[in-house]
């Protein structure tokens, strides 16, 4: 038998282990005694009645391997770096003074925001999906519920894009925006469990 215990149930596990080991010790002792007595003619071997033993296999959640864990968590982690997709667009817009030109036109701020937000979400989502497909093909990563994973990755792409746009609005320099974003993402990723031993 194999006994599993959790850290907060050590006493209960010790009691269960004691009961089971005592039971099997007694069973083995009785078998040895009966075998000895039967071999020496002290007692007749009792006729065993038919005994049925019922067993049940419990369904448990499979424990993911470290390859599955880190294969998934790094793709989710690096999805937060999707704001890099905004860099080329925002840099060229600032270089060509497009924000100033847009203010003169009849385009609303919401339309201007959505015009950058939607393409960046699509680009980030497609980049992550490419990494996702490669992780399955090359490393045999098991993603579980595909529909939920697609939804989560899409929401992360939206959040990363919005986060990047905020940073690009706070800082006029794209390099500073990227550095600040990477530092925040690295620290939150570290505390969130996607550990990495280096920083860009």
């Amino acid at each position: 038998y194999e006994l599993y215990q959790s850290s907060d149930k050590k006493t209960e596990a010790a009691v269960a282990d004691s009961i089971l080991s005592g039971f099997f010790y007694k069973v083995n002792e009785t078998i040895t005694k009966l075998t000895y007595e039967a071999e020496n003619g002290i007692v007749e071997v009792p006729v065993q009645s038919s005994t049925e033993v019922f067993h049940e296999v419990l369904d448990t959640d499979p424990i993911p391997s470290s390859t599955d864990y880190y294969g998934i968590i790094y793709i989710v982690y690096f999805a937060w770096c999707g704001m890099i997709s905004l860099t080329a667009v925002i840099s060229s817009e600032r270089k060509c003074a497009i924000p100033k030109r847009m203010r003169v036109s009849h385009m609303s701020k919401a339309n201007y925001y959505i015009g950058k937000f939607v393409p960046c979400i699509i680009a980030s989502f497609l980049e992550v999906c490419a990494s996702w497909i490669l992780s399955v093909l090359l490393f045999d990563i098991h993603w579980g519920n595909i529909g939920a994973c697609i939804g989560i990755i899409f929401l992360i792409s939206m959040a990363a894009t919005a986060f990047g746009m905020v940073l690009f609005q706070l800082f006029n320099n794209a390099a500073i925006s990227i550095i600040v974003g990477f530092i925040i993402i690295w620290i939150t990723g570290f505390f969130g469990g996607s550990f990495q031993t280096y920083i860009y």
Side-chain angles (χ1 to χ4, degrees):
Y1 66 94
E2 203 167 344
L3 191 66
Y4 296 91
Q5 68 175 27
S6 59
S7 58
D8 59 337
K9 300 284 185 183
K10 288 185 177 180
T11 306
E12 291 86 345
V15 170
D17 186 37
S18 175
I19 291 169
L20 291 172
S21 59
F23 170 76
F24 286 113
Y25 176 79
K26 286 291 184 185
V27 168
N28 291 330
E29 183 183 22
T30 305
I31 290 170
T32 305
K33 182 180 175 189
L34 286 174
T35 304
Y36 172 78
E37 290 176 352
E39 287 175 355
N40 294 312
I42 300 171
V43 71
E44 292 183 9
V45 180
V47 179
Q48 292 185 350
S49 58
S50 62
T51 305
E52 292 184 12
V53 177
F54 297 97
H55 73 281
E56 181 181 356
V57 178
L58 300 176
D59 293 329
T60 57
D61 292 333
I63 299 172
S65 66
S66 59
T67 307
D68 283 347
Y69 176 77
Y70 284 107
I72 293 169
I73 203 168
Y74 270 110
I75 288 178
V76 172
Y77 170 72
F78 282 113
W80 277 97
C81 300
M83 65 176 189
I84 298 298
S85 304
L86 284 167
T87 307
V89 176
I90 289 179
S91 298
S92 62
E93 279 184 352
R94 287 177 179 169
K95 187 177 181 181
C96 300
I98 290 178
K100 292 178 182 176
R101 294 178 185 181
M102 290 295 177
R103 286 188 203 122
V104 177
S105 71
H106 295 289
M107 181 181 282
S108 66
K109 289 183 179 180
N111 288 342
Y112 179 65
Y113 175 80
I114 291 170
K116 285 191 287 190
F117 186 65
V118 172
C120 184
I121 290 171
I122 294 169
S124 298
F125 183 70
L126 293 177
E127 290 164 3
V128 174
C129 284
S131 302
W132 184 356
I133 292 166
L134 287 174
S135 75
V136 173
L137 294 177
L138 299 179
F139 301 107
D140 195 29
I141 305 295
H142 303 95
W143 281 80
N145 188 333
I146 303 299
C149 290
I150 290 171
I152 290 169
I153 296 294
F154 186 75
L155 290 174
I156 288 173
S157 300
M158 289 178 66
T161 300
F163 177 66
M165 291 181 77
V166 167
L167 289 177
F168 282 115
Q169 288 299 319
L170 287 176
F171 304 101
N172 288 328
N173 190 330
I176 294 174
S177 302
I178 292 169
I179 291 169
V180 170
F182 267 61
I183 289 171
I184 293 170
I185 291 166
W186 188 84
I187 292 170
T188 54
F190 177 78
F191 286 115
S194 55
F195 177 76
Q196 68 183 64
T197 55
Y198 57 90
I199 186 168
Y200 292 103

